[in-house]
């Protein structure tokens, strides 16, 4: 940790606290991030002074402030993301009867940005909107990778390796050759499938959101639900609606293209 800047450590604290809305004690936070307790306390004090964190008067635990979440909502509002995505997602959820999500690409990562749940009875899939999808081990991740050149797709996965995120069940792709074969199939059919990978008993179908300038996808839209009713035949039934939603999102997507991937697509 000697070469890690205070800014990076502060960002690590914010990311950790985002997963613990009940807050964490200074000692617990320092242990999890492998920080000296004095440094953790100093950085938390700075975050609290700027109203990014709050210390509970009873437990003395630190948690993120509402202001931190509000900044993200303000950004989404300013770029018109919710206004663009939500009507399309709600319509797709009602037509398919399943859970629908959209993730956006940012600096080589996918981030969940919007969701819609069908008002249906029976088994429901309600995942948290926390960490974005793992690139090699999810339908959304592989759908996005399929829109990159092979070398760029491999570079993205190599940066983290074929390592499963915390609480991730399994992956059908465990090496580069399997990944390249899977991406080729996705390009041919236009969508990706993930069955019992992120969560046992859940199947997802994902389609890339096309870029108007024919670069890598802007993100992905997916339909997911219990595997007992998300069979391959069911996937074929919902695919026209999923692909239509992806195309519609691509036509009106409000987030500007990052320069990094604009350059990759032309290299």
């Amino acid at each position: 940790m000697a070469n890690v800047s205070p800014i990076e450590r502060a960002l690590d604290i914010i990311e950790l606290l985002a997963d613990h809305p009940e807050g964490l004690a200074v000692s617990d936070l320092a242990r999890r991030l492998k920080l000296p307790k004095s440094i953790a306390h100093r950085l938390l004090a700075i975050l609290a002074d700027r109203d990014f964190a709050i210390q509970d008067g009873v437990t003395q635990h630190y948690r993120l402030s509402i202001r931190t979440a509000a900044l993200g909502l303000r950004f989404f509002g300013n770029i018109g993301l919710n206004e663009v995505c939500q009507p399309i997602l709600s319509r797709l959820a009602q037509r398919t009867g399943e859970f629908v999500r959209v993730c956006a690409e940012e600096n080589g990562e996918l981030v969940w940005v919007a969701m819609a749940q069908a008002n249906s009875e029976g088994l429901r899939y309600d995942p948290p909107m926390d960490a974005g999808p793992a690139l090699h081990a999810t339908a959304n991740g592989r759908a996005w990778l399929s829109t990159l050149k092979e070398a760029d797709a491999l570079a993205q996965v190599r940066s983290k390796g074929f390592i499963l995120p915390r609480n991730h069940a399994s992956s059908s792709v465990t090496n580069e050759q399997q990944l390249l074969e899977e991406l080729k199939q996705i390009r041919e059919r236009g969508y990706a499938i993930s069955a019992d990978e992120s969560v046992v008993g859940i199947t997802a179908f994902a389609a890339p959101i096309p870029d108007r300038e024919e670069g890598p996808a802007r993100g992905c839209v997916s339909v997911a639900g219990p595997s007992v009713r998300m069979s391959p035949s069911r996937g074929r039934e919902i695919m026209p609606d999923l692909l239509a939603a992806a195309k519609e999102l691509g036509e009106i997507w409000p987030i500007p293209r990052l320069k990094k991937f604009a350059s990759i697509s032309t290299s």
Side-chain angles (χ1 to χ4, degrees):
M1 297 292 292
N3 296 324
V4 179
S5 70
I7 292 176
E8 289 177 294
R9 288 172 171 171
L11 293 174
D12 287 339
I13 289 174
I14 290 174
E15 288 188 343
L16 178 61
L17 291 180
D19 292 328
H20 297 275
E22 73 285 0
L24 289 172
V26 176
S27 58
D28 193 14
L29 185 144
R31 177 181 56 80
R32 290 168 183 259
L33 295 179
K34 299 180 180 178
L35 284 173
K37 186 176 177 180
S38 59
I39 292 178
H41 187 272
R42 189 182 314 142
L43 292 173
L44 284 166
I46 293 173
L47 291 173
D49 186 59
R50 293 295 303 273
D51 295 326
F52 286 101
I54 293 175
Q55 185 177 28
D56 187 278
V58 177
T59 66
Q60 299 299 301
H61 289 187
Y62 283 88
R63 63 172 176 81
L64 292 183
S65 67
I66 297 299
R67 177 176 184 267
T68 307
L71 288 174
L73 293 174
R74 188 168 77 192
F75 172 72
F76 279 177
N78 287 338
I79 63 176
L81 188 61
N82 288 337
E83 289 82 353
V84 165
C85 291
Q86 208 59 54
I88 299 172
L89 298 191
S90 297
R91 184 168 64 249
L92 180 60
Q94 291 309 310
R95 289 183 66 86
T96 62
E98 303 293 350
F99 180 74
V100 174
R101 272 198 292 193
V102 161
C103 57
E105 180 276 321
E106 185 174 59
N107 199 28
E109 299 281 351
L110 295 179
V111 182
W112 299 121
V113 294
M115 56 156 283
Q117 179 68 268
N119 295 321
S120 58
E121 298 180 355
L123 291 172
R124 285 164 56 103
Y125 176 47
D126 286 297
M129 295 283 281
D130 47 14
L135 295 184
H136 75 284
T138 60
N140 283 280
R142 294 194 290 259
W144 179 70
L145 288 173
S146 72
T147 68
L148 275 63
K149 295 179 180 179
E150 284 191 352
D152 293 333
L154 289 175
Q156 292 300 321
V157 176
R158 283 171 182 163
S159 65
K160 291 189 175 181
F162 289 86
I163 300 173
L164 294 177
R166 178 170 52 92
N167 298 329
H168 202 289
S170 64
S171 175
S172 62
V173 174
T174 59
N175 58 61
E176 293 186 0
Q177 186 58 43
Q178 286 181 335
L179 177 64
L180 292 177
E181 292 174 357
E182 178 69 14
L183 297 184
K184 180 181 178 181
Q185 294 179 22
I186 294 170
R187 293 187 191 101
E188 292 173 351
R189 64 177 177 247
Y191 62 92
I193 306 170
S194 173
D196 302 311
E197 292 188 74
S198 294
V199 180
V200 174
I202 296 296
T203 292
F205 298 91
I209 298 171
D211 177 40
R212 290 190 296 272
E213 298 178 358
E214 299 185 352
R218 313 308 304 273
C220 295
V221 56
S222 61
V223 177
S227 298
V228 293
R229 64 172 181 252
M230 294 289 278
S231 62
S233 61
R234 175 64 178 146
R236 289 190 290 272
E237 291 176 5
I238 69 175
M239 201 49 58
D241 289 324
L242 177 60
L243 295 177
K247 180 180 179 182
E248 187 175 358
L249 286 167
E251 291 172 348
I252 57 179
W253 194 255
I255 303 178
R257 165 68 68 194
L258 290 178
K259 291 183 179 179
K260 175 179 178 181
F261 277 97
S263 63
I264 284 180
S265 64
T266 57
S267 60

